[in-house]
Amino acid sequence: MSQNKTKSQKYRLKLPIDTANLDIIREFVAGIAQNIGFDDEDIHRIELAVDEASTNVIRHAYEGQTQNDKFILIEVKTFPDRLEISVIDHGKGFEPDKIKEPEMDAYFKQMKRGGLGLYLIKTLMDKVDYFIKPGVRNRVKMVKYLSL
Amino acid sequence: MEKFEVFRHDIDDISVLNIQGFLDAHTAPDFENELQKLLQEKRYKIIVNLDGLQYISSAGLGVFMGVIEDIRENKGDLKICNAGEKVFKVFDLLGFPSLYEFYPTEAETVEKFKAAD
């Protein structure tokens, strides 16, 4: 990839639903983030946020669904000041309004596992938006700004 | 494919799991299996040595959360050592240091178990 900080560029990666593909997804976004100048710490944050969103899709999006083409699509757009990453599926979706920020104390008292991913994504990225159309297109869009 | 490996060694009644590589939703079941083996053997003094762990996601953290209740109900503990900066940050973001003991070295962690006997 050639370094190009002035123009917006778009990258796409479509993969079958399989946790074995998580490392491919991480390497894909890490490579682009590195190319536009993020430091190692931010690259790690981006990798982890995208891993969490992808893990949610792989584990839950197609539960009980009958589609033949079960995929996860990663779309990355680069801008001079930021990286926008969308994790997309066409599974059953979820209700973003029902996602509450977990109270970690209560969380630990119940020793509850899972569900930490969305909290991490919100903490690691600068902006997170959900666009949910169950069975059609569900998209988690995450933005990370380059520190100047 | 990024690798994940678990190596076990026992020091008296303490079991040490040294985990290496990438711990994510794909490799978390391997780690969970190793922990479950210890619980089946009724070994409840567990050290997880993270020296060599390069990456962890919440799926990996979920494994720690899934076993701790069982371990503590049996008067044991799971203590963590040798976390690298990048890996520790993930534990820290989710508040793990208030629930689990972290130590810089395995020797120190072993001492903590022995001192409590």
Side-chain angles (χ1 to χ4, degrees), chain A residues 9-22:
Chain A
Q9 301 222 29
K10 194 168 168 178
Y11 307 81
R12 302 178 89 208
L13 177 69
K14 188 177 173 183
L15 293 167
I17 291 300
D18 190 338
T19 52
N21 291 329
L22 285 169

Side-chain angles (χ1 to χ4, degrees), chain B residues 45-63:
Chain B
K45 291 181 185 174
I46 300 170
I47 297 174
V48 180
N49 186 336
L50 306 182
D51 188 26
L53 189 71
Q54 295 172 58
Y55 177 87
I56 189 164
S57 72
S58 73
L61 300 189
V63 178

Side-chain angles (χ1 to χ4, degrees), chain A residues 18-24 26-27 40-41 44-45 47-49 51-52 55 59 104-105 107-117 119-120 123-124, chain B residues 1-2 22 24-26 28-29 32 54-59 61-69 72 85-87 89-90 93-96 98-100:
Chain A
D18 190 338
T19 52
N21 291 329
L22 285 169
D23 63 343
I24 297 172
R26 289 196 299 267
E27 282 175 25
D40 286 349
E41 206 175 322
H44 175 235
R45 287 193 181 103
E47 267 185 299
L48 182 55
D51 175 324
E52 297 294 343
T55 296
R59 280 184 166 173
M104 296 314 292
D105 283 355
Y107 224 83
F108 277 123
K109 272 176 201 147
Q110 295 164 28
M111 303 293 176
K112 201 173 157 188
R113 61 196 301 189
L116 299 173
Y119 172 76
L120 268 183
T123 309
L124 295 163
Chain B
M1 180 67 63
E2 288 165 339
F22 292 76
D24 63 8
H26 190 59
E32 172 135 36
Q54 295 172 58
Y55 177 87
I56 189 164
S57 72
S58 73
L61 300 189
V63 178
F64 286 88
M65 292 171 83
V67 293
I68 192 67
E69 198 173 18
R72 290 191 180 150
E85 198 185 338
K86 184 170 136 180
V87 163
K89 229 169 231 175
V90 185
L93 272 177
L94 292 173
F96 271 61
S98 65
L99 190 73
Y100 296 80

Side-chain angles (χ1 to χ4, degrees), chain A:
Chain A
M1 273 183 273
S2 67
Q3 191 146 355
N4 189 335
K5 289 189 176 181
T6 52
K7 269 201 323 195
S8 175
Q9 301 222 29
K10 194 168 168 178
Y11 307 81
R12 302 178 89 208
L13 177 69
K14 188 177 173 183
L15 293 167
I17 291 300
D18 190 338
T19 52
N21 291 329
L22 285 169
D23 63 343
I24 297 172
I25 293 169
R26 289 196 299 267
E27 282 175 25
F28 173 67
V29 295
I32 298 165
Q34 188 175 33
N35 197 45
I36 67 164
F38 281 100
D39 62 23
D40 286 349
E41 206 175 322
D42 272 345
I43 292 170
H44 175 235
R45 287 193 181 103
I46 293 164
E47 267 185 299
L48 182 55
V50 176
D51 175 324
E52 297 294 343
S54 302
T55 296
N56 283 343
V57 168
I58 293 168
R59 280 184 166 173
H60 306 299
Y62 296 97
E63 266 176 348
Q65 304 289 294
T66 53
Q67 292 103 322
N68 289 322
D69 183 23
K70 296 178 181 175
F71 65 82
I72 178 167
L73 175 66
I74 315 293
E75 273 187 6
V76 184
K77 284 187 201 168
T78 63
F79 297 88
D81 64 333
R82 70 190 186 279
L83 192 62
E84 286 185 8
I85 304 169
S86 292
V87 175
I88 298 159
D89 66 78
H90 66 154
K92 63 183 182 182
F94 58 96
E95 294 180 57
D97 294 344
K98 289 197 177 167
I99 299 163
K100 288 178 190 158
E101 205 157 308
E103 287 176 27
M104 296 314 292
D105 283 355
Y107 224 83
F108 277 123
K109 272 176 201 147
Q110 295 164 28
M111 303 293 176
K112 201 173 157 188
R113 61 196 301 189
L116 299 173
L118 293 170
Y119 172 76
L120 268 183
I121 293 168
K122 204 177 155 191
T123 309
L124 295 163
M125 301 300 272
D126 294 325
K127 195 165 182 282
V128 185
D129 288 303
Y130 299 96
F131 305 92
I132 307 296
K133 285 184 196 161
V136 183
R137 183 180 162 96
N138 308 302
R139 175 172 164 227
V140 178
K141 182 183 157 195
M142 299 166 276
V143 181
K144 190 80 187 167
Y145 288 91
L146 276 159
S147 30
L148 298 172

